[in-house]
Amino acid sequence: MVAVPSPLDRKLLRDLWRIKGQARAIGLVIAVGVMMLVMMSGLVNTLDETRRTYYDRYRIAEIYVPVTRAPERMLDRLAAIPGVAAAESRVAGAALIDVGADAMPVRARALSIPDAHASRLNDIYLTAGRLPRIGRSDEVVLLEGFARARGLALEDTLTATMNGAKHSFRITGLAQSPEFLYTTAPGELVPDDARFAVFWMRRTALSAAYDMKGALNEALMSLSRDTNAQAVILAADLLLADYGAAGAYGLEDLPSNRFVSEEIRGLRATSASVPPIFLGVAAFLLYIVISRMVQAEREQIGLLKAFGYSGTEVSLHYLKLVLVIAVAGAVVGSVAGIMSGSGLAVYYQGYFKFPFLVFSIDPRSFVIGFAVSILTASAGSLFVLMRVFRLTPAVAMRPPTPPDYSRAFDLARYLHRWLDQPARMVVRRLTRYPGRIAGAVVGIATGLGLSVSTLTTVAGFDKTVDLTFNVMDRSDMTVAFTSALSSKTLLELQRLSGVEHAEPFRSVPAVLRNGTFSYRGNIEGRPERPYLNRVIDGVQRPVAMPPQGVVLARPLADILHLEPGEILTVEVREGRRPTLLIPVTGIAETLLGAPAFMEIGSLSRALKEPGRISGALLTMDEAETENIRAAIKDMPKVAGVSLKEDARNALIRLMNEGPGSVRYIMLGIAAIITFGIVYNAARIALAERIRDLASLRVMGFTRGEVAFVLLGELAVVTLIAIPLGIAMGFGLTCLIVKGFSTDIYQIPVVFSPRSYGGAILAVLGTSAVSALLVRRDLNRIDMIAALKTRE
Amino acid sequence: MPDTTQQTPAFTARGLTKTYGTGAATVHALRGVDLDVRQGEFTVLLGPSGSGKSTLLNILGGLDRPTSGTAHFKDTELTGMSDADLTRYRRDHVGFLFQFYNLMPSLTAYENVELVTEIAENPMDPAEALALVGLDRRSRHFPAEMSGGEQQRVAIARAVAKNPTVLFCDEPTGALDSTTGRAVLGVLADVNQRLGTTVMIVTHAAATAAMADRVIHFADGAIREIVRNETKLKAEEIEW
């Protein structure tokens, strides 16, 4: 049996059809709010779950123990440390890969895989080809990312310098590794597949290349559940102290993992802060729109009551109407969220180099999305319904009392001389209904705020690039040495023809501590007044390196909870490995990484290694670039050369391809929401005033003149909304930017006139389009019908 | 009144038809109406709901277009006019009055009248128009502060203030009690006599007919009968 819908339900369907344009706009706003929430939480969950599964499946080590050289038997001693579940030894070496006669060699890491079996820990995932044959010393497996970036394929030849000797290898396989999801060029923070390589060889072959027969120079360990990693690290360092232990560290300090964790954390922060803002804005709009929509139904509500429908029945009827819109919006948003979330995850799969994806969605996001949509929609309608119910049904049966303008503050009277009647109508309505107007103003301002903040965030990314590479780093090229060299090398660089200026730097790997807070990073030594590699403060003034003490980057100071005047503990991780206590003398704004700076001489004194530098920054005559490159290539001990242009491009790529890319999605969503608000505001104004407008038409006012009365209001509302929207935009920017900033780069809150101008233009454009759409509806007014019915 | 008004008809309608909808749902609102209306004439259109009287009024008033047939205002053909021309026509020549007064709630009585005088070619002073309907003391009041009859009188003042050639009234007393209704009709008759404005009233109230020069009876979209009134009653004399 088919149930016959009740008359009220049929009315519901027809009402929905009647307001379909508006319903679509409202539904769309809800949908994008919910979509953003579902998409971001699904994305973060999927990435987290995928990383966990990838690590599990390929048995990533939890502890890394680098040493100079230890006998293989020590592995059993390591395995015997309480809490160690598995231990694996390997040989690791630094190599330089020759990538062509005119290019600088690329720094690489060579790693061993066991002769007889797969790696027990840190296994690799072969994407093409095969592992090297046992006993073959000329076969390697190459990291796929590098191969792809350099256009290398299976069976190609790879030439590498290892331990001072040149070798030629055949590439037999390409692999991905959970240990190298992220690779950077030496001395840089930003990943670049093309400028760092990893290759794997059989243990025997690699041992021969590095004179490591019967020895290991790195041990990997996995832990049993609930083992204190710190205790194992201490035990391992103690055990291998005689073999040049360089300091064991945990997975959390593995650069690749740290980067990936940081990126996922950044995404999580973004997903925790940005979608709620969007959903909140959508909910607020929903409230305004729905309350005004129900308000417009006043007379029908009265009539229904006059027919004998109870208040509850009528309330349910209107609740159903808004719920249909809210639920439909939430459903569309959820589906779109799942689809876009998995689409984004597939995109990030390539970015993070995951071999597979474990899709995982967050059920909470649906619950929150639906609950917020439904609650705000219901609240918006109930609030109005309650007011409407105070009217007796009879009110609806009488000719309507015109809205009373006599009690309102009459601005128009004071402006009498300058206003004609249509303008007076606009002004009177603004002053008579400050609440309604305020609602529309706040709505449009929120839309503008959203646009402003997303555009400003986008500008913030550009600002990071600009500040980093134009204000702070003013060099053309950076040369990094394999180990710290005498400062005489600087003179050699300066003497090269075409080099205009050379500035030394010292970079010392260290664990930075303050009580229980620690950070594995570098102490950066700079000249007292750096010229090429400047540090700047909050207002972009260069910061001089103090003769004593250390200057911390703001994010590092936050991580370590340090303020100027307090003492930083530095556990140096190279050379004699001293532990230093250094006072913090300043905090600097940096946008890349979380470095600690010292004056280079003061750093050398603290290390008791005077006159040593890790590399230099150069400016040069552009015409001489190739000659300088060639000359430096032939210098011994040069680990890498990076052109600022490459580093800059790598950062832009990181921002555009990494989590930062979400900013463009946000921009689109902000545009949709803004349009939804403005269009609805205009549409509702039309619905409320259709009689007045029809009267004007009948009296002989032209379409343009009538449109002025309606759209004049929209124009004034939009104009009032602009300053408010700018203020809201600034606040929202602070929230959003915080979510986007990571350990690797920080996004500043910039005041970019272009973003603000762009957002204002976008809102004005949206208003204009909405005005045109509404004007189209206005032209279709059935004058007679509008006049003969009551309001 | 100059005699010329007796010769040139203000309106000429020939074979006017108007249908709404298509197929089975087609509604014939007008089925071929021929009519001449003299300038300065006071006409009442009577008939049941849906008989076509309002449709005729709307077509002559430039609010609607016929499906076929022609309508002329003096020498100008209304039926061929563009939308902009119709707007111009309403602006310059036509005053309207509806059952619901359709005043602008945000404008005072005076300003409601001024709304029209601002755009009209040859308007009267708004104060004069309000005095004509006996509301000169209420000119600073908003619609919400006035009774229904007062609002309708403001609507009349607004309609006549432009010195229209014709005043179309669709159920002008429909929402008013008898006393107020009579007062409103009195104002209309007064305007007709003093300014020579052609007045056409659509109404259900048969008693109104006693005031008219001619009464046009409508039924089923056509004119059934036209009755000339030899003795016109004054508004206050009619039985409600």
Side-chain angles (χ1 to χ4, degrees):
Chain A
M1 206 187 92
V2 180
V4 180
S6 76
L8 271 189
D9 285 344
R10 266 175 281 158
K11 172 179 178 311
L12 180 82
L13 292 175
R14 291 197 189 120
D15 282 351
L16 271 175
W17 181 250
R18 181 168 54 84
I19 57 163
K20 56 188 180 297
Q22 223 176 322
R24 252 199 303 255
I26 300 168
L28 192 65
V29 168
I30 301 176
V32 291
V34 172
M35 179 189 103
M36 188 91 185
L37 188 75
V38 170
M39 174 184 85
M40 291 300 286
S41 64
L43 173 67
V44 173
N45 269 23
T46 298
L47 292 178
D48 230 6
E49 196 56 29
T50 300
R51 177 181 59 158
R52 208 181 54 75
T53 311
Y54 189 22
Y55 282 3
D56 274 2
R57 217 176 274 179
Y58 290 86
R59 302 179 295 281
I60 198 153
E62 286 153 277
I63 307 285
Y64 297 78
V65 196
V67 293
T68 312
R69 181 193 172 98
E72 181 66 23
R73 64 186 155 75
M74 292 308 288
L75 185 65
D76 296 337
R77 302 278 299 277
L78 286 173
I81 295 174
V84 173
E88 171 93 310
S89 68
R90 68 180 182 185
V91 171
L96 286 174
I97 291 179
D98 197 349
V99 285
D102 47 346
M104 286 301 296
V106 172
R107 196 140 85 149
R109 193 161 154 81
L111 291 173
S112 69
I113 39 184
D115 282 334
H117 53 86
S119 302
R120 270 191 292 266
L121 293 173
N122 286 15
D123 198 2
I124 58 176
Y125 165 71
L126 214 53
T127 56
R130 56 170 176 79
L131 294 177
R133 291 218 171 79
I134 297 157
R136 293 293 295 257
S137 57
D138 62 345
E139 293 183 346
V140 295
V141 168
L142 185 62
L143 188 67
E144 191 194 32
F146 176 77
R148 205 176 277 169
R150 289 285 176 178
L152 292 166
L154 290 181
E155 303 302 322
D156 281 355
T157 303
L158 187 75
T159 312
T161 308
M162 297 159 75
N163 215 13
K166 214 161 208 175
H167 300 264
S168 264
F169 300 108
R170 204 153 59 86
I171 302 168
T172 63
L174 298 177
Q176 295 183 345
S177 159
E179 194 182 344
F180 298 102
L181 298 175
Y182 149 90
T183 54
T184 59
E188 286 177 30
L189 271 164
V190 178
D192 190 345
D193 283 347
R195 292 192 294 143
F196 187 77
V198 181
F199 61 89
W200 290 266
M201 293 170 64
R202 288 292 180 183
R203 175 75 176 264
T204 308
L206 195 64
S207 298
Y210 286 102
D211 293 327
M212 282 282 170
K213 242 180 194 159
L216 61 92
N217 65 1
E218 188 170 28
L220 310 175
M221 296 186 282
S222 65
L223 302 177
S224 327
R225 202 181 278 267
D226 298 330
T227 302
N228 179 350
Q230 216 47 49
V232 176
I233 287 172
L234 276 175
D237 277 347
L238 209 61
L239 198 61
L240 297 177
D242 292 345
Y243 303 100
Y249 56 92
L251 178 61
E252 66 280 1
D253 283 325
L254 184 74
S256 163
N257 181 56
R258 193 153 90 187
F259 171 79
V260 175
S261 304
E262 189 52 36
E263 293 274 272
I264 293 177
R265 189 206 63 77
L267 270 178
R268 192 177 286 287
T270 309
S271 83
S273 64
V274 177
I277 294 172
F278 278 61
L279 192 61
V281 170
F284 173 69
L285 281 180
L286 188 62
Y287 173 81
I288 290 184
V289 170
I290 297 255
S291 58
R292 289 180 74 173
M293 204 174 78
V294 175
Q295 183 80 42
E297 295 277 305
R298 215 198 75 197
E299 185 220 349
Q300 291 209 34
I301 294 170
L303 279 175
L304 285 172
K305 284 184 71 186
F307 294 155
Y309 283 99
S310 73
T312 322
E313 283 166 326
V314 178
S315 303
L316 274 178
H317 172 67
Y318 281 96
L319 265 183
K320 266 194 223 167
L321 179 76
V322 300
L323 287 186
V324 167
I325 300 174
V327 169
V331 167
V332 169
S334 299
V335 172
I338 294 172
M339 281 165 48
S340 51
S342 31
L344 262 187
V346 170
Y347 168 78
Y348 278 119
Q349 180 186 2
Y351 176 76
F352 285 120
K353 305 194 189 70
F354 292 140
F356 52 83
L357 272 181
V358 182
F359 283 106
S360 157
I361 44 184
D362 184 354
R364 275 180 316 171
S365 63
F366 297 101
V367 176
I368 294 171
F370 274 82
V372 169
S373 317
I374 289 170
L375 282 179
T376 47
S378 322
S381 50
L382 277 181
F383 185 65
V384 177
L385 282 172
M386 270 171 8
R387 269 190 302 173
V388 170
F389 281 151
R390 279 186 223 131
L391 296 173
T392 57
V395 173
M397 309 302 289
R398 281 203 304 265
T401 320
D404 189 356
Y405 279 82
S406 63
R407 281 169 302 165
F409 164 70
D410 192 3
L411 179 66
R413 187 151 282 163
Y414 297 96
L415 301 174
H416 195 272
R417 216 176 321 161
W418 296 283
L419 299 177
D420 62 2
Q421 302 306 332
R424 205 169 291 172
M425 287 169 68
V426 172
V427 173
R428 286 246 171 83
R429 225 179 100 87
L430 295 174
T431 47
R432 171 65 180 85
Y433 294 108
R436 269 187 220 181
I437 300 300
V441 165
V442 172
I444 293 176
T446 316
L448 175 61
L450 217 50
S451 298
V452 162
S453 56
T454 44
L455 277 171
T456 310
T457 305
V458 170
F461 278 79
D462 296 341
K463 187 79 177 177
T464 296
V465 174
D466 177 54
L467 279 181
T468 304
F469 292 105
N470 292 333
V471 177
M472 294 154 80
D473 180 351
R474 303 195 289 184
S475 71
D476 296 321
M477 183 188 268
T478 303
V479 181
F481 306 139
T482 47
S483 57
L485 299 181
S486 151
S487 49
K488 269 186 266 174
T489 322
L490 188 66
L491 296 175
E492 270 179 62
L493 288 171
Q494 263 162 348
R495 275 200 295 268
L496 291 175
S497 126
V499 170
E500 288 160 0
H501 199 94
E503 180 175 296
F505 68 87
R506 181 78 207 264
S507 185
V508 181
V511 176
L512 311 174
R513 280 189 208 285
N514 172 35
T516 53
F517 306 108
S518 73
Y519 184 81
R520 213 179 165 85
N522 288 303
I523 300 274
E524 304 282 344
R526 303 268 170 96
E528 186 194 340
R529 292 194 178 277
Y531 177 72
L532 296 183
N533 201 7
R534 300 196 296 175
V535 180
I536 56 173
D537 66 9
V539 287
Q540 294 184 33
R541 274 182 322 215
V543 175
M545 296 292 118
Q548 255 126 37
V550 61
V551 174
L552 301 183
R554 168 56 60 197
L556 180 60
D558 290 344
I559 293 170
L560 297 176
H561 296 84
L562 277 172
E563 288 301 322
E566 298 180 309
I567 301 290
L568 171 72
T569 307
V570 180
E571 295 171 9
V572 178
R573 287 293 173 206
E574 67 164 37
R576 297 179 309 98
R577 306 176 28 132
T579 296
L580 313 170
L581 298 175
I582 304 174
V584 176
T585 51
I587 308 284
E589 298 299 320
T590 57
L591 297 168
L592 277 190
F597 303 102
M598 286 180 76
E599 196 273 314
I600 191 164
S602 137
L603 177 60
S604 295
R605 282 192 298 280
L607 292 169
K608 301 202 167 61
E609 291 177 353
R612 299 232 155 223
I613 62 173
S614 308
L617 288 90
L618 310 178
T619 51
M620 57 203 183
D621 181 353
E622 213 172 309
E624 300 275 351
T625 308
E626 283 317 306
N627 294 338
I628 294 171
R629 252 219 264 219
I632 291 174
K633 192 182 170 186
D634 290 336
M635 288 173 73
K637 295 268 189 183
V638 167
V641 171
S642 56
L643 287 178
K644 185 164 79 176
E645 218 32 54
D646 292 340
R648 182 192 170 97
N649 292 337
L651 178 63
I652 293 173
R653 208 163 49 233
L654 171 74
M655 290 172 163
N656 284 341
E657 294 174 3
S661 59
V662 174
R663 67 190 189 270
Y664 295 114
I665 298 175
M666 280 173 37
L667 202 56
I669 292 180
I672 291 177
I673 291 186
T674 307
F675 179 75
I677 304 172
V678 177
Y679 176 68
N680 267 310
R683 199 73 193 67
I684 292 167
L686 173 64
E688 284 172 357
R689 321 206 44 197
I690 197 144
R691 279 167 63 85
D692 289 359
L693 303 175
S695 293
L696 289 173
R697 286 285 286 138
V698 167
M699 275 184 256
F701 279 80
T702 61
R703 285 178 176 168
E705 288 164 335
V706 173
F708 168 80
V709 173
L710 178 66
L711 302 178
E713 181 184 323
L714 180 65
V716 172
V717 164
T718 306
L719 289 179
I720 301 176
I722 286 174
L724 185 63
I726 287 174
M728 289 172 86
F730 188 80
L732 284 177
T733 309
C734 297
L735 289 176
I736 291 175
V737 150
K738 215 168 181 178
F740 269 115
S741 294
T742 67
D743 241 15
I744 300 188
Y745 56 79
Q746 281 87 45
I747 304 302
V749 178
V750 296
F751 180 83
S752 133
R754 229 163 107 203
S755 311
Y756 283 77
I760 290 170
L761 278 182
V763 167
L764 291 179
T766 314
S767 297
V769 171
S770 304
L772 282 178
L773 287 175
V774 170
R775 174 140 189 212
R776 206 188 51 182
D777 295 338
L778 192 58
N779 290 344
R780 293 195 196 132
I781 289 184
D782 182 345
M783 287 180 273
I784 303 154
L787 290 181
K788 287 204 176 165
T789 49
R790 298 171 184 156
E791 263 176 354
Chain B
M1 276 305 104
D3 275 341
T4 48
T5 52
Q6 301 292 320
Q7 284 128 29
T8 338
F11 290 100
T12 324
R14 290 292 174 267
L16 282 185
T17 68
K18 178 73 184 180
T19 54
Y20 297 102
T22 50
T26 308
V27 174
H28 295 273
L30 285 182
R31 303 171 187 261
V33 167
D34 298 327
L35 182 69
D36 290 319
V37 177
R38 279 183 298 107
Q39 283 187 48
E41 197 176 21
F42 193 110
T43 321
V44 169
L45 285 74
L46 279 178
S49 291
S51 58
K53 51 194 192 312
S54 291
T55 309
L56 177 65
L57 204 68
N58 292 337
I59 291 172
L60 295 181
L63 293 177
D64 205 351
R65 294 168 198 275
T67 311
S68 68
T70 57
H72 280 79
F73 168 68
K74 294 184 180 168
D75 296 329
T76 323
E77 187 182 343
L78 295 173
T79 34
M81 279 188 180
S82 70
D83 203 64
D85 288 339
L86 283 179
T87 303
R88 191 80 232 167
Y89 161 65
R90 292 197 301 269
R91 188 175 191 144
D92 295 341
H93 299 290
V94 184
F96 277 102
L97 218 52
F98 290 96
Q99 178 176 3
F100 305 113
Y101 332 111
N102 297 318
L103 297 179
M104 299 294 137
S106 56
L107 298 179
T108 61
Y110 186 90
E111 289 165 343
N112 258 290
V113 178
E114 212 179 13
L115 185 64
V116 164
T117 58
E118 263 175 10
I119 61 164
E121 263 184 347
N122 178 30
M124 52 173 95
D125 178 17
E128 192 190 328
L130 283 170
L132 197 65
V133 297
L135 281 180
D136 35 347
R137 283 155 179 264
R138 305 277 277 156
S139 67
R140 285 174 74 105
H141 288 83
F142 284 94
E145 298 171 290
M146 289 187 268
S147 71
E150 285 173 328
Q151 288 184 55
Q152 191 64 307
R153 276 150 67 195
V154 175
I156 294 173
R158 188 175 67 178
V160 301
K162 67 164 82 163
N163 275 320
T165 322
V166 59
L167 203 50
F168 290 110
C169 314
D170 196 341
E171 300 282 3
T173 55
L176 303 173
D177 60 65
S178 59
T179 317
T180 326
R182 267 194 210 101
V184 164
L185 289 175
V187 173
L188 289 175
D190 194 37
V191 167
N192 170 251
Q193 267 163 23
R194 282 181 27 201
L195 308 175
T197 313
T198 310
V199 175
M200 290 181 83
I201 301 179
V202 159
T203 183
H204 277 101
T208 316
M211 296 172 59
D213 293 321
R214 276 199 301 168
V215 183
I216 301 167
H217 291 271
F218 268 78
D220 295 329
I223 297 175
R224 205 187 60 200
E225 188 188 11
I226 299 181
V227 179
R228 185 171 297 277
N229 250 343
E230 298 306 334
T231 46
K232 282 166 61 173
L233 293 184
K234 287 187 174 151
E236 58 270 25
E237 294 167 349
I238 59 174
E239 299 285 330
W240 201 266

